Amino acid sequence: MNSYRGARTAMIVGAGVAGLTAATALAGAGWQVEIAEVNPSRATSGWGLCLTGPALRALAELGLADDCLTAGYGMSVITHVDVDGEPAGRARLPRLIGARRPAMAGIARPVLHRILHAEAEQRGVVVRQGLTVTAVEQEGELVRVQLSDGTVRQVALLVGADGIRSSARSLLGLETSLGYHGQMVWRALVPRPQWATGIHQFAGKADTAGLVPISAGQAYVFLTENGVEQSVLPEAELVPRLQQLLEAFPGRVEEIRPLVSVSESVVRRPVLTAFLEGAWNRGNGVVIGDAAHAPAPQMASGAALAIEDGLVLAEELGRHRSVGAGLDAFVSRRGQRCRTLVETSVAIAGLEHAQRHREAYPLTDAGHRLMAEPA
């Protein structure tokens, strides 16, 4: 297929959480959807993520919440532990998909990707691996999209869902800066300790650590390293360096530290945030997910915002006669919610950096209460 036209055709750039969710929602509303994914392999690397209540609520609308709960690990409590290893409080999150279901779920990223990918394809979405968009031009009521293999699509809608460093965003002429907050975040996949039945977050004298179950047998350790410049460490240094950083934490972290040595994967990444000021759309093109609003990981809500984006986009396009009007309504509906979440995550990162952990806890709770409101 080198070119096609139609009133309800869409090209999505990126087959991540935002792209696959948007594709599924649009296909369910009768759109013909194609995804261009630059990764030539369908396999997705990664460790785990948390599907908070709003993420599960949105997934329930797609009929996928139970699949994610079955494949992941359901939880309802975040336990905060102070610098001395003693509990500093427990946050019970609202159960947004029913009193008998968990408030949130940890899940392996590759597992979530398989669930989303399978549902999108079942609804007729075509995913093309090893391709990306190289040029975009508005032509009347259509968007002319050129792909990296030289082929061209003429579609009614272009959706950039290709992450914080989005190329689609640039092609649409939408620019934003990335914020670095002096933090590098570590993650390591480890066996789940028996006591880890919810999220545990440990305040340290310099850094912050935690543990998130993602299945009956697995969890991931995270550590936020404060006051450091962006840098890349040699692969061989990752495990010993993470173990060294964890030595500063007392209590149950002492049980976690040896597990890192048997981890199949340890990664270290900069904490980056972004928020696209003004319009997220131009013509019949729009950006969603981290391409429009990338929070710091402290609120564990990046996936929730991305999944909500896909559903709200399909809803607003269905309510308006023109694509442009639907995109304007989408941005208007999502802007303040996403801005507040990004700003809250940045504020929490700053409090962690300043070792003001007890001030961060109520801010985290307030952020989750905000996200519990309808999208």
Side-chain angles (χ1 to χ4, degrees), residues 248-268:
F249 295 83
R252 280 181 157 163
V253 180
E254 295 177 351
E255 301 176 39
I256 300 171
R257 190 170 62 250
L259 302 178
V260 173
S261 64
V262 298
S263 176
E264 297 177 0
S265 177
V266 175
V267 298
R268 178 176 179 263

Side-chain angles (χ1 to χ4, degrees), residues 161-177:
D162 49 342
I164 191 171
R165 292 186 171 89
S166 170
S167 60
R169 183 178 62 215
S170 297
L171 291 170
L172 286 170
L174 305 171
E175 299 295 339
T176 189
S177 59

Side-chain angles (χ1 to χ4, degrees), residues 14 39 80 154-155 217 229 231 236 248-249 256 279 283 293 344 367:
N39 189 341
H80 297 292
Q154 288 176 298
V155 295
E229 295 182 357
S231 62
F249 295 83
I256 300 171
H293 46 75
T344 299

Side-chain angles (χ1 to χ4, degrees), residues 287-307:
V287 292
I288 66 173
D290 280 357
H293 46 75
Q298 278 80 352
M299 276 299 303
S301 294
L305 290 180
I307 296 168

Side-chain angles (χ1 to χ4, degrees), residues 218-230:
Q218 288 186 314
Y220 72 87
V221 175
F222 67 86
L223 182 138
T224 305
E225 187 180 9
N226 286 309
V228 291
E229 295 182 357
Q230 293 189 62

